Amino acid sequence: MKQTSVVDDVTRAAVELFASQGYANTSVQQVVEAAGVTKGALYHYFQSKDDLLFGIYERLLSLQTERLTAIVARGEPTAETLRAVCVDVIETSVDFLLEGTVFFRSAHMLSAPRQQEVTRRRRAYHDTFAGIVERGQAEGLYRTDIPVAVLVAHFFSDVHYLSHWYKPEGPEDKTVLAHQLTDLFLVSIAASSASALASAAGSTASAEG
Amino acid sequence: MKQTSVVDDVTRAAVELFASQGYANTSVQQVVEAAGVTKGALYHYFQSKDDLLFGIYERLLSLQTERLTAIVARGEPTAETLRAVCVDVIETSVDFLLEGTVFFRSAHMLSAPRQQEVTRRRRAYHDTFAGIVERGQAEGLYRTDIPVAVLVAHFFSDVHYLSHWYKPEGPEDKTVLAHQLTDLFLVSIAASSASALASAAGSTASAEG
Amino acid sequence: MKQTSVVDDVTRAAVELFASQGYANTSVQQVVEAAGVTKGALYHYFQSKDDLLFGIYERLLSLQTERLTAIVARGEPTAETLRAVCVDVIETSVDFLLEGTVFFRSAHMLSAPRQQEVTRRRRAYHDTFAGIVERGQAEGLYRTDIPVAVLVAHFFSDVHYLSHWYKPEGPEDKTVLAHQLTDLFLVSIAASSASALASAAGSTASAEG
Amino acid sequence: MKQTSVVDDVTRAAVELFASQGYANTSVQQVVEAAGVTKGALYHYFQSKDDLLFGIYERLLSLQTERLTAIVARGEPTAETLRAVCVDVIETSVDFLLEGTVFFRSAHMLSAPRQQEVTRRRRAYHDTFAGIVERGQAEGLYRTDIPVAVLVAHFFSDVHYLSHWYKPEGPEDKTVLAHQLTDLFLVSIAASSASALASAAGSTASAEG
DNA sequence: AATGAATGAGAGTTCATTCAT
DNA sequence: AATGAATGAACTCTCATTCAT
């Protein structure tokens, strides 16, 4: 009774191969062999190899956007919202670690229009995130001595980097890790941290800790 | 009076093309055309296309290792050493932004032995960095409630991510940015920040800031 | 009240696509889409793509053979018969200009047996035409200094060429054009024209007109 | 000492295969096998299969344009010029019969820009030819009761049709044929032929011969 | 030191046709 | 009568690399 479809089998095989060998180093032949289908079947459902890659991004972006929207819609206080968003995106990224690997490595191999589409959607996601941080700044929660763009990049750098070092089979638990990274981020952007930079900016000799 | 060599011209052209189009999408033909040399000349100095990529990594890794060693050799207090190292690696990464782009995107396209070599050297670099953090923990400067591996990853994620968002021609000054990111990192790993996680770990409702 | 059949819709779509893009450049998929039917339906009525092409030829050849036979059967004097045949085939060719385009461009793409069948029927048509000319020669109407094969080719070249230059929406009226081309042909093969070649054959300096 | 180049061998093989099987039915593999070269060598000199086809047209168009220009440049009386042009283009077309076959069958398979280029050059050729006819009309040599466009099409139809019926190994001598077809054309467009149409236009019952 | 023509394996993609439904 | 998913062979084209010069 197990129902497998060509689309699912191919997508699964593609994610694994793209993540382990890279998009460019993976031939369509390898994908169809790993998926147990024929080339003709693949091209019946996908217009091009590019489509395979975009499909992976599409799923990930849709999922993350949806989750972000849902959390924001709960209408909790800013600090709680931001913490929930951070934890959630890290956990989701761990769940889709292969997809993330492919995403960050191979986005530049997409056709130009699709690259723009991906960029557009990621930007929308980042903008929503930035909006929460800005609201927190207005409420006096977060420091304002560093541009929001830098704060946002600082957070997403952790998300991005996960696929470069995190091993799901390793010692770090996904949930614990999500809270640890979130805490590192939230501590660093807290309004109370702002003073540190003021004295440190022009000198490497100030004390901290 | 000849000021340009085949090796330099080719390397420069390769970095630019690999950064803008990706390694796999760049043909050797494109490289030789952009460098103004012939294929024969390129293959006289490089054994393979792989060599071109490895050469870029080689230079960047050597430079960063050398700078890290020099800073550590100054024998300053841990806090000053770590701050100096962080600022320096960020500034250097901005200076070699194209190389960084190539590095993080295309390392997986290297031949297996060279991929191992790169990994080995990056690990050595990270280990030295981790050693400084651990020394600081022993001195009571940095929090110990989060594994060092996570703290190290948290820092290098910023370095890594630079090539994805930072625009040298944009509004952010390189030095200012280096200090901002360093500050965000140092604040978050300070021993005094450790308490935050304790209360936050099991709940999303705790207050921060 | 159903007024369209799969066969008709498909044939119409095939003629248009084959004429505008060429037989080889038109996929069966394009034909079924243009005809508004499915692939299964097409293959229910046609054995192969080749069948589509042959069907177009079949219709055109049958029609022209039928019309030629009808005109000859009227038993008019040779000159009248030939004129009527010429005018008719030109007019019919204009009416089936798309079919003509396909015919002359793509006949060589038919399977060998069908190519032979087409050749056989065209030859029969030409032979009947040649017979009329020969009868006219025997009656002293047409010149005998040029082989009949050349005279016949001279006429059919005009028919053939129509699809390369004639635009139904252009200024030339179909009937007028048919009479003009017929006149050019009949004038040139008239017995009284025979002397012209005699003096011209070995020299390019003779006068004409 | 026989010098053969890849370009020549490939072009020769391509003309023969395209003429006998059609462009679309001939694979690049077949061309390289017939030419005795490798695929890589072919693609070193030709950018695409399209290039092969265009190269054939290019040579033919250049040759014919050059010859037309040379004849016109002799500045002979109109009648002599037109006769020389007609004889020459027919003889040349016989010499390049395979190229002609390819030309008329496969021009529509060229990429759009190249199709336009071919059309542009053929039109220029036809315009020069039409100019000679018009000059002859002004001089009272040729009939004016039929549009020049029809007269020009009437001539080129013979040239075009050659590849459909003429066999170089057959009984017709090239030069004799050229003069026969030229004569048929010149007789039919002579000013003295004009009266024939006047009485024939509205009726199929008039007598001729 | 340098050339660039030539190689040849393998890439992504198309498509007429089949067949279970 | 009709569907459309699936096949699989063949297609055009690319490209890192070699080697005679």
Side-chain angles (χ1 to χ4, degrees), chain D residues 6 38 40-41 44-45:
Chain D
V6 171
T38 62
H44 187 71
Y45 292 101

Side-chain angles (χ1 to χ4, degrees), chain C residues 143-165:
Chain C
R143 66 199 292 179
T144 56
D145 59 335
I146 293 180
V148 175
V150 175
L151 299 181
V152 172
H154 180 55
F155 174 69
F156 282 108
S157 76
D158 276 322
V159 176
H160 185 169
Y161 202 58
L162 281 172
S163 62
H164 283 87
W165 72 276

Side-chain angles (χ1 to χ4, degrees), chain D residues 51-115:
Chain D
D51 251 36
L52 246 47
L53 190 55
F54 187 69
I56 295 168
Y57 293 173
E58 171 87 69
R59 267 178 55 206
L60 190 54
L61 287 165
S62 297
L63 181 86
Q64 294 192 323
T65 301
E66 192 184 309
R67 296 182 69 96
L68 174 63
T69 306
I71 293 171
V72 170
R74 297 202 301 244
E76 295 173 348
T78 305
E80 286 177 42
T81 298
L82 185 57
R83 177 176 294 275
V85 164
C86 290
V87 168
D88 186 74
V89 67
I90 293 169
E91 286 191 319
T92 305
S93 293
V94 168
D95 290 338
F96 292 83
L97 206 57
L98 288 183
E99 280 83 354
T101 304
V102 176
F103 194 111
F104 293 118
R105 250 187 208 162
S106 303
H108 66 290
M109 320 280 293
L110 279 175
S111 68
R114 287 185 150 170
Q115 222 165 313

Side-chain angles (χ1 to χ4, degrees), chain A residues 69-103:
Chain A
T69 305
I71 293 171
V72 169
R74 297 203 300 244
E76 295 174 347
T78 306
E80 287 178 41
T81 298
L82 185 56
R83 177 176 293 277
V85 164
C86 291
V87 168
D88 185 76
V89 67
I90 294 169
E91 287 192 317
T92 305
S93 294
V94 168
D95 290 338
F96 292 84
L97 207 57
L98 289 183
E99 281 82 353
T101 304
V102 177
F103 194 110

Side-chain angles (χ1 to χ4, degrees), chain B residues 189-208:
Chain B
I189 71 164
S192 59
S193 300
S195 57
L197 187 63
S199 59
S203 143
T204 61
S206 71
E208 62 268 344

Side-chain angles (χ1 to χ4, degrees), chain D:
Chain D
M1 278 306 170
K2 184 161 66 118
Q3 290 282 356
T4 68
S5 75
V6 171
V7 171
D8 288 352
D9 292 348
V10 163
T11 301
R12 202 167 10 249
V15 170
E16 278 166 20
L17 288 167
F18 292 170
S20 68
Q21 315 178 350
Y23 172 78
N25 278 343
T26 303
S27 68
V28 171
Q29 188 59 44
Q30 286 178 303
V31 174
V32 300
E33 276 165 18
V37 304
T38 62
K39 238 185 242 187
L42 184 151
Y43 277 98
H44 187 71
Y45 292 101
F46 297 91
Q47 289 201 358
S48 65
K49 191 184 174 188
D50 194 83
D51 251 36
L52 246 47
L53 190 55
F54 187 69
I56 295 168
Y57 293 173
E58 171 87 69
R59 267 178 55 206
L60 190 54
L61 287 165
S62 297
L63 181 86
Q64 294 192 323
T65 301
E66 192 184 309
R67 296 182 69 96
L68 174 63
T69 306
I71 293 171
V72 170
R74 297 202 301 244
E76 295 173 348
T78 305
E80 286 177 42
T81 298
L82 185 57
R83 177 176 294 275
V85 164
C86 290
V87 168
D88 186 74
V89 67
I90 293 169
E91 286 191 319
T92 305
S93 293
V94 168
D95 290 338
F96 292 83
L97 206 57
L98 288 183
E99 280 83 354
T101 304
V102 176
F103 194 111
F104 293 118
R105 250 187 208 162
S106 303
H108 66 290
M109 320 280 293
L110 279 175
S111 68
R114 287 185 150 170
Q115 222 165 313
Q116 284 165 19
E117 169 69 5
V118 167
T119 301
R120 193 185 62 71
R121 292 176 66 169
R122 285 197 73 207
R123 183 149 38 219
Y125 188 91
H126 283 208
D127 286 350
T128 302
F129 187 92
I132 302 172
V133 173
E134 282 164 351
R135 196 174 72 203
Q137 289 179 319
E139 294 170 1
L141 295 174
Y142 308 131
R143 64 199 294 180
T144 55
D145 60 333
I146 294 180
V148 175
V150 176
L151 299 181
V152 172
H154 180 55
F155 174 70
F156 283 108
S157 76
D158 277 320
V159 175
H160 190 162
Y161 202 57
L162 281 173
S163 62
H164 282 86
W165 70 276
Y166 183 75
K167 306 291 170 210
E169 69 278 13
E172 310 281 351
D173 175 76
K174 171 181 85 175
T175 305
V176 171
L177 175 69
H179 281 94
Q180 289 172 339
L181 290 176
T182 298
D183 182 68
L184 287 167
F185 174 61
L186 293 178
V187 162
S188 66
I189 71 164
S192 60
S193 300
S195 56
L197 187 64
S199 58
S203 144
T204 60
S206 71
E208 61 270 346

Side-chain angles (χ1 to χ4, degrees), chain B residues 117-140:
Chain B
E117 170 68 5
V118 167
T119 302
R120 193 185 62 70
R121 293 178 65 170
R122 285 196 73 206
R123 184 150 38 220
Y125 187 90
H126 284 208
D127 285 351
T128 302
F129 186 92
I132 302 172
V133 173
E134 282 163 352
R135 197 174 73 205
Q137 286 179 321
E139 294 170 2

